[in-house]
Amino acid sequence: MEIKKIKASDTWKIRHEVMWPDQPFEFVQLEEDDFGLHYGAFEDHQLVSIVSCFIDADVMQFRKLATLDAYQGKGIASALLSHIFKAAQEKGIKKIWCNARTQKKQFYEKLGMRDTGKVFTKAGQEFTVMDFLF
């Protein structure tokens, strides 16, 4: 597996296919994508997992973590998040947070993130705000 920076537009196909297949393709194109850092995990030169990071001062939010179905459960998303956590720490980031789908929050807790108790619904999906402090 290789993890490297990618363009925002490289994330859209996986975002749509994995996270929001019932929404229009434009739903996964964020206005702020041009201001983010985007990373992809590649297996045999194929992009299989993506995440987008947005930094404001010493706080980073990651969004749209998604892995193709055939590659889920193999530790790829965990490796991708470990990569961005390390990069965040090197940049002096003090806090990382995300809006996790509530049914996936245990995945984030295994990585040391905590449930903040804040919950909301978007497009019929329930999300829990998770964070990690350095």
Side-chain angles (χ1 to χ4, degrees):
M1 174 182 33
E2 179 184 12
I3 297 172
K4 61 184 179 180
K5 286 186 181 179
I6 58 175
K7 297 181 298 191
S9 59
D10 293 335
T11 68
W12 297 339
K13 183 176 185 281
I14 292 177
R15 281 182 189 173
H16 187 254
E17 181 179 329
V18 175
M19 302 179 78
W20 301 105
D22 298 332
Q23 296 290 334
F25 188 74
E26 295 76 25
F27 187 80
V28 301
Q29 298 172 348
L30 307 177
E31 287 183 28
E32 59 270 24
D33 271 341
D34 289 339
F35 305 107
L37 300 171
H38 310 277
Y39 295 89
F42 293 79
E43 286 282 336
D44 297 321
H45 306 289
Q46 179 188 352
L47 182 60
V48 300
S49 187
I50 51 94
V51 68
S52 298
C53 304
F54 301 90
I55 298 172
D56 183 14
D58 61 356
V59 176
M60 181 177 82
Q61 178 190 21
F62 68 87
R63 300 174 69 179
K64 310 295 186 199
L65 174 67
T67 303
L68 293 174
D69 287 344
Y71 294 88
Q72 291 183 10
K74 299 180 180 191
I76 296 170
S78 295
L80 188 53
L81 286 183
S82 292
H83 180 86
I84 67 164
F85 276 47
K86 182 180 177 192
Q89 191 171 24
E90 289 171 359
K91 292 180 183 294
I93 299 296
K94 303 286 188 230
K95 175 182 170 181
I96 296 177
W97 68 281
C98 73
N99 297 323
R101 290 184 187 217
T102 300
Q103 77 266 22
K104 300 282 188 182
K105 77 176 191 170
Q106 289 180 332
F107 167 77
Y108 297 99
E109 289 172 337
K110 288 179 188 176
L111 296 170
M113 297 189 80
R114 70 176 183 98
D115 182 343
T116 65
K118 297 175 189 168
V119 178
F120 66 94
T121 302
K122 175 184 174 185
Q125 292 284 332
E126 184 177 273
F127 291 87
T128 301
V129 179
M130 309 285 294
D131 70 9
F132 181 88
L133 305 174
F134 285 102

